[in-house]
Amino acid sequence: MEDVHIWKGDQARLSSAMLHELLMAMSGRPGDIFCPLPSAAEATTFAVRSDMDILYLPERLALNKLSHLGWVYSQLQAFIARVRAANKHIKEPSDSSLRGHYLQAFASALEGSLQEYERDVCKGEAAVLDPTLSDKPGQIPLAYLASSFSKWELALPALLATCTEIEHGQWKGSTLIDVVYTSARTGIEDVKQLLEPAVKALFRLLWSQVSSWILYGRLIDPHYEFFIEHRFDINKRDNTLLVNEALLPRFIPMDVANNILFIGRAVFISKQMTNTISTGSPRSHMSLPTQLTQQHQKLLVDASKAILTPPFVFLQGVHVIHLHDTFYTIRLSVADWLSQEFLVKDGGIQSYLSVFRSNFLIGDSNLATDLIDFFEERTECQTSPSSEHVSPHFTDYELTDALSQYNTSERSKFSLVNIHPDRNTSSSAESCSFFHLGHHPVRLRYSINWPLFLFITEADIEAFGDMWSFLMLWKAIQRRLTRHWHVRESICDNRDQARDIWRLRNRMVSFLDTFWTYLQMDVVDKQFRVLTEKISPAPPLKRGEPDGDSSMSSDSSTQSFAFEHIESSIGDFLSTVKQASFLHDSPCLESLLKISECCSNFHQHVLLPLNRSNLSEGDMQVDGAASSATSTASRAHATSVSLEGTFLEVTNALFAHLTRMTTKVNDESVNITMVTAAEKLLSRLDCSRWYSVGHQRRT
């Protein structure tokens, strides 16, 4: 090897061989002189071999500084290679954190930025060979190379720090924009210029996903990187579109994300419905008009140009406002179209809510009564007198088959299912399942499709299911006590026994009838009328009537956010109904459930045994049969006496709690809806002053 130094006057220059080795190391290829340290496997830099003691200390430091750039460059290239390797076989499963379109876009942009560094290395090699820079080729000063790569001393480590943050932090999807943009917000202009292409590449990818979702209702997201998420749970029949906040970039506010969700969901569901119509002629009017789509596309293109055109004033406050205005305008347009297609045609929203009122809220009492009678008959057939405490089990198929006997076209979307403890059900669903058939609680569910997705959520369906379960509990008990109303004196030892049983049954039926009337008339019917009035579209103005502000006289002023208004109105309706039914008041709900349990025990242990004795009365000529009937009547009477005391105790506790609630009307911590409900229920329960007078007498 030729000498490292070539002396000329007072200036020391490195030999051409040394400079070639340096430039090779700076291009990420260490050699004999510049080696990975401390070892090839655990290298943290490229540096001059420690045994080369012929270099001066300033030279060694300068060479190590330049060669370290080569190590940083090699790490950046290794990161790009890992990203591409992870995405090479895209259809094969992998647990790599470097998979995804956003990481590929970032790696491609990073590779483009590194091409400038590669050109500088080539320029350095050309300088070594350029005879015009020195009187002898290959003898250029080290300071010349150091000045040529001064911009990369800060830029390359900043790029590597960004890649390390992405890889170790396992950032994915559109949130990569936040990481890269944060790294680019620096006072170092070189770093800013190198990261600007990556930020723009990531933004273009995000914008293409947003445009595809808004214009065509398509979620092209194989790696689950987009902040709009489509969840489907086959067990819960949950088909939900929602905003995944974990993947939402910081420069997109939540209200803008909700607008994007609304627009795309409307287009997605309308296309899905058009493609799945099974009748002879598809309803083409459910697809977004082509002219409207073109208008939306122009708005998106203009917004993208406004954001990307300025030289790195990206994601400033003015751009966030522009985003908000763009998606707000598109949402208004889509909402107007939906209002015309849905609120005006197909019977309007009231037709769907009427079906929910009839089925979920027992507006159609015949359906509820028929179902209860059907299962009661099946239960009596499966349960023998000797095993009266064993409840039969109904499968989901049997439940749905029973419901199908009473189905209309819209009821075909309802289903009855058992709630098993081992299933993945929400806690709210388990805690609010009051109605039981056999061993498991039973719930009514509804399969949501177009256009109910637009304003009814899965949470709303669960709330409707809670109310159905609660109402069916009381309807079933009321029906059972009404069916077994006849207690014959002939099977009791004396008339007093029959009178005691009859008195308790009348008290229970009176309470059940009063509470059922309260639930249906004072709660459900009243709140349903309020809901109907709130969501009814405003009547059109007659010709000649003033329309007020002309800028707000279009359909968008009254119906542009009709679906958002409908969704919130339905949520308020369900919340008020549940509060007025005392489902949110633990002491009151506990008392009500104890009353229902007491009434059920009275039916199970008093009325049913007496009813069986009534049926066998024709055989009472036999002394054994008559003796058995008398024994049954005695046991039933003793049970009724015990249950009467329990019934009076729990009803008085309920009355006392309701009375205490009405005295807290000025307490800000008490819900006024529940106070009003307590006053109304008290007025119905105590219309004969039986509870209040009895309470005063007992105190």
Side-chain angles (χ1 to χ4, degrees), residues 320-394:
V320 175
I321 296 175
H322 198 161
L323 286 176
H324 183 277
D325 292 343
T326 298
F327 293 116
Y328 183 87
T329 302
I330 296 176
R331 174 167 181 158
L332 287 178
S333 175
V334 173
D336 286 342
W337 171 73
L338 289 173
S339 299
Q340 293 299 320
E341 294 299 322
F342 175 64
L343 293 182
V344 176
K345 300 179 182 180
D346 299 330
I349 177 63
Q350 287 82 0
S351 61
Y352 291 92
L353 293 179
S354 296
V355 173
F356 279 33
R357 168 71 179 94
S358 299
N359 292 270
F360 274 121
L361 303 179
I362 321 295
D364 186 352
S365 59
N366 292 331
L367 173 62
T369 301
D370 291 341
L371 280 175
I372 293 169
D373 290 346
F374 175 83
F375 288 114
E376 287 291 328
E377 292 171 0
R378 291 285 298 273
T379 301
E380 292 176 1
C381 293
Q382 298 181 32
T383 307
S384 61
S386 60
S387 61
E388 60 184 27
H389 297 290
V390 179
S391 300
H393 174 68
F394 296 98

Side-chain angles (χ1 to χ4, degrees), residues 303-322:
S304 177
K305 289 181 179 179
I307 292 174
L308 294 177
T309 299
F312 212 86
V313 290
F314 182 66
L315 304 185
Q316 301 299 318
V318 64
H319 296 138
V320 175
I321 296 175
H322 198 161

Side-chain angles (χ1 to χ4, degrees), residues 219 224 228-232 238-242 268 272:
L219 276 178
Y224 306 101
I228 302 296
E229 184 177 351
H230 187 191
R231 293 180 182 175
F232 181 74
D238 185 2
N239 191 7
T240 307
L241 291 162
L242 48 85
F268 170 80
Q272 190 179 57

Side-chain angles (χ1 to χ4, degrees), residues 9 13 15 24 43 75 91 97 140 196 210 226 245-246 280 311 348 363 445 447 537 565 584 660:
R13 305 184 182 205
S15 66
M24 286 294 292
Q75 296 302 303
K91 294 184 179 180
S97 62
I140 61 174
E196 181 179 353
V210 170
F226 192 35
E245 295 188 50
R445 287 186 173 157
S447 178
H565 171 67
H584 294 167
R660 285 194 298 271

Side-chain angles (χ1 to χ4, degrees), residues 440-556:
H440 301 294
V442 175
R443 288 179 71 84
L444 183 67
R445 287 186 173 157
Y446 183 85
S447 178
I448 307 179
N449 55 14
W450 172 272
L452 298 181
F453 271 118
L454 298 171
F455 53 84
I456 292 185
T457 65
E458 289 294 333
D460 293 335
I461 295 298
E462 286 296 318
F464 273 114
D466 294 342
M467 284 306 305
W468 179 86
S469 180
F470 186 70
L471 292 171
M472 282 294 289
L473 167 70
W474 297 101
K475 189 65 178 177
I477 297 173
Q478 184 188 43
R479 181 63 177 168
R480 289 164 187 162
L481 296 190
T482 303
R483 287 183 64 189
H484 302 96
W485 63 272
H486 197 48
V487 181
R488 299 190 55 155
E489 298 179 9
S490 58
I491 62 172
C492 296
D493 291 342
N494 53 58
R495 184 175 298 178
D496 293 337
Q497 288 185 350
R499 185 173 61 249
D500 292 343
I501 296 174
W502 184 261
R503 182 180 64 248
L504 177 57
R505 178 205 166 274
N506 282 352
R507 288 178 177 174
M508 289 182 171
V509 169
S510 176
F511 178 88
L512 293 172
D513 290 345
T514 301
F515 189 57
W516 182 258
T517 301
Y518 163 78
L519 289 175
Q520 286 297 323
M521 295 184 62
D522 300 331
V523 179
V524 176
D525 282 347
K526 179 181 178 181
Q527 295 304 323
F528 190 78
R529 287 195 301 271
V530 173
L531 173 64
T532 303
E533 293 173 358
K534 288 175 65 176
I535 65 175
S536 296
L541 292 174
K542 298 180 180 179
R543 181 175 299 179
E545 287 185 357
D547 57 357
D549 187 359
S550 59
S551 63
M552 298 296 290
S553 61
S554 63
D555 290 339
S556 62

Side-chain angles (χ1 to χ4, degrees), residues 8 12-13 37 51 78 84 131 136 221 270 273 308 317 346 356 406 421 460 481 486 526 532 581 628:
K8 183 178 181 181
R13 305 184 182 205
L37 296 178
D51 57 354
R84 289 182 172 167
K136 187 176 181 180
D221 190 24
S270 64
M273 185 61 182
L308 294 177
D346 299 330
F356 279 33
Y406 313 102
D460 293 335
L481 296 190
H486 197 48
K526 179 181 178 181
T532 303
S581 300
S628 176

